[in-house]
Amino acid sequence: MTTQRPHHLVPATLSMTAVAIALLAFSDRVADPIRAQLRDGLCPGLTALDSAVDSIRGAVSEWSGEPTRNGVAKERPPADRSGPALQQLRAANARLTERLANNAQAGTFPYRGSSSSPLVLTELVEARVLGRETAAAWRGGWLLNRGGRQGIEESALVVSDDAPLLDVGRDAKLEPGFAVFAGRTVVGRIRAVGRWSSTLEPLTAAGFRGHAQLIRKTSAGYAFGATGVIEGADQGGCKLKMIASAEPVSVGDGVYTLSNGGDFPFPMYYGRVIAAMLHPTATHWDIDVEPAAQDLRLRVVQVLRKRLDPRRVDPGSAGPRAAGATVRLDPPKRP
Amino acid sequence: MKHVCLAMLTYAAAVVQAGSPLFVPDGETTLHVLPAVLVLSLFLWDGWQAVVWAGIVGLVSDGLRSTAIGSDMLCAVLLAGLIVHLHPRRREFSMLVNLPVSGGLVFVFLLVSRGLSAVLSRRTVVAGELLSDVAVDASHTLIAGLIGLLCFNAVVSLLPGRRRRALRS
């Protein structure tokens, strides 16, 4: 007795195998467009799922009497016990110390300059976390509900959506925006952008790299220290590299984005140094950083985007504003 | 009709797989539901349609990953072709009889796909951890698959008789 084999099985298997191998061979070129299309296609379903989960959580919290924020159960606090307020204060303190030192060194300029609006505006676009990429033995990226249509670009940094915690401003000679946004926790950066969605590469992912700067405590307050490169270590932690052995480093130092010339107009918080080793013959420190964002349960994040000020580029028109809730960051005015 | 149902199921499975870290208690676990759709496609068709659908499901699974695209599709197509070739009378048995086959298929699919991804991205994986992770994920997939099958049967039972017969033929 013989079993009849299904028709067209071998040609179908061979052709589909050929397609799969071709995709593998040209993965570098075709992966991003295919993934972007798929993510955009899944966006409505993920948004519906997100709303359903929020509704169920809200109902459960209401039933159990647990306090909620906007219907969503409050996220766990960051692993860093110092908390966002202290991170922000450290950044503010270091920045003021730097300006004080600069003023003392250079003196007061005899002529007074007039301030003008900056050419490049920095904005934070609020984005909702919709899901996660699957990964084999490592962490995949998060899917966000904002994409190219909202002006999101690849490699843009992403910060956590901590509520403004500081209530100091004019009395402390701080400019608008600085106290609120400085010291926010960096969550990662945008890896790929679709039309309506994008993916967030976590700070701890193997491919993550960014400029970083130490903030350490001195007798005159907090001060900016050496600059280096922070890299994801893929095991839930980060490494701080390119810090010369001559630079002072100690456990507990804060690691921030660059205060000047970086992606942000203000330093944002990566995490803190948990181990620093210097081998006798080494020219650079071997530093382990505990990311502040590693234990956050992300639901809403904010993506930094930059755009030219339409009033400077074309004074006649204000220019179209992309959709999405945005907050403008005014850089500190130069004296 | 079967194609429409499977397309909807594939979409729903992709949404659940991508969004699962948001609603699982630990915030980390991903429910791998797409392999269950792959198994379902093998029980809906006898021949080449099962292989084509396996390729589509594999491609969707690839799209949700952060590694090279095409690896899941390759695994899915080869496994589907193998199962259709070696087990042509599978549709004559009930799903309970086929449960070990389905479980084995999901396990092998996840194992080969992850192993291939690790090789392609030149990463080192510990065999013990990989096996235990795959076993846990495969069990999740099977549970999700059984729940999906119950829902599918419930939907089918609500359809008019002619469409129901067309769906089950």
Side-chain angles (χ1 to χ4, degrees), chain A residues 26-318:
Chain A
F26 298 102
S27 185
D28 293 343
R29 291 183 207 169
V30 298
D32 285 344
I34 291 176
R35 287 205 174 103
Q37 294 292 334
L38 184 72
R39 276 197 311 270
D40 287 344
L42 289 181
C43 216
L46 285 168
T47 307
L49 181 70
D50 187 46
S51 305
V53 169
D54 271 0
S55 304
I56 293 168
R57 280 198 178 140
V60 169
S61 301
E62 199 174 324
W63 179 71
S64 63
E66 195 179 314
T68 60
R69 192 182 71 177
N70 297 333
V72 180
K74 219 169 183 177
E75 291 89 359
R76 286 180 296 192
D80 192 339
R81 290 182 182 83
S82 55
L86 195 52
Q87 296 154 21
Q88 292 171 355
L89 280 170
R90 277 181 185 163
N93 196 328
R95 184 113 179 166
L96 287 172
T97 306
E98 186 187 53
R99 290 180 64 179
L100 195 64
N102 286 345
N103 283 344
Q105 194 177 9
T108 309
F109 196 60
Y111 303 104
R112 195 171 181 83
S114 60
S115 61
S116 62
S117 59
L119 179 64
V120 180
L121 296 178
T122 310
E123 295 174 332
L124 289 174
V125 180
E126 193 173 282
R128 213 168 161 76
V129 177
L130 290 179
R132 194 170 201 176
E133 288 179 323
T134 52
W138 57 93
R139 290 178 160 206
W142 292 92
L143 306 177
L144 305 180
N145 71 338
R146 300 279 181 203
R149 298 269 292 200
Q150 285 79 34
I152 305 293
E153 291 178 354
E154 286 181 10
S155 300
L157 279 177
V158 182
V159 294
S160 63
D161 183 43
D162 299 322
L165 293 170
L166 294 182
D167 195 19
V168 293
R170 295 182 192 284
D171 53 341
K173 306 273 188 231
L174 297 176
E175 286 79 11
F178 178 74
V180 176
F181 292 102
R184 284 206 166 189
T185 303
V186 178
V187 175
R189 71 176 176 199
I190 297 294
R191 179 165 52 201
V193 180
R195 188 178 288 267
W196 294 293
S197 63
S198 53
T199 51
L200 156 65
E201 182 179 44
L203 188 60
T204 51
F208 184 92
R209 281 186 185 179
H211 290 291
Q213 186 166 24
L214 289 168
I215 288 186
R216 55 194 173 80
K217 194 175 183 182
T218 64
S219 56
Y222 286 93
F224 290 112
T227 60
V229 175
I230 191 167
E231 288 184 2
D234 211 10
Q235 304 291 332
C238 289
K239 290 272 187 189
L240 185 58
K241 297 187 173 176
M242 307 302 289
I243 300 284
S245 55
E247 297 286 349
V249 179
S250 54
V251 172
D253 284 354
V255 183
Y256 289 74
T257 60
L258 296 188
S259 61
N260 290 314
D263 289 327
F264 282 93
F266 316 108
M268 305 283 173
Y269 188 58
Y270 280 123
R272 67 188 179 97
V273 175
I274 53 170
M277 284 180 292
L278 185 61
H279 299 289
T281 56
T283 55
H284 292 88
W285 284 91
D286 183 15
I287 301 171
D288 290 334
V289 177
E290 181 186 46
Q294 68 175 350
D295 282 345
L296 288 176
R297 286 195 74 167
L298 302 171
R299 297 307 306 272
V300 178
V301 293
Q302 290 186 321
V303 187
L304 180 96
R305 81 172 181 200
K306 288 179 177 178
R307 67 184 179 95
L308 294 175
D309 187 350
R311 289 170 300 179
R312 293 281 303 274
V313 178
D314 181 10
S317 72

Side-chain angles (χ1 to χ4, degrees), chain B residues 74-146:
Chain B
L74 186 65
C75 297
V77 167
L78 291 179
L79 280 174
L82 207 63
I83 289 289
V84 171
H85 185 75
L86 295 178
H87 197 16
R89 295 177 62 199
R90 65 194 178 282
R91 293 183 67 204
E92 294 172 15
F93 303 101
S94 72
M95 282 299 285
L96 280 179
V97 175
N98 279 310
L99 201 58
V101 178
S102 307
L105 181 66
V106 169
F107 185 83
V108 171
F109 171 73
L110 290 173
L111 189 66
V112 175
S113 136
R114 288 185 187 193
L116 190 59
S117 295
V119 169
L120 288 172
S121 54
R122 297 182 184 87
R123 282 169 191 265
T124 310
V125 286
V126 182
E129 284 181 13
L130 181 66
L131 285 173
S132 62
D133 285 352
V134 167
V136 169
D137 288 343
S139 62
H140 289 161
T141 307
L142 273 186
I143 293 168
L146 282 174

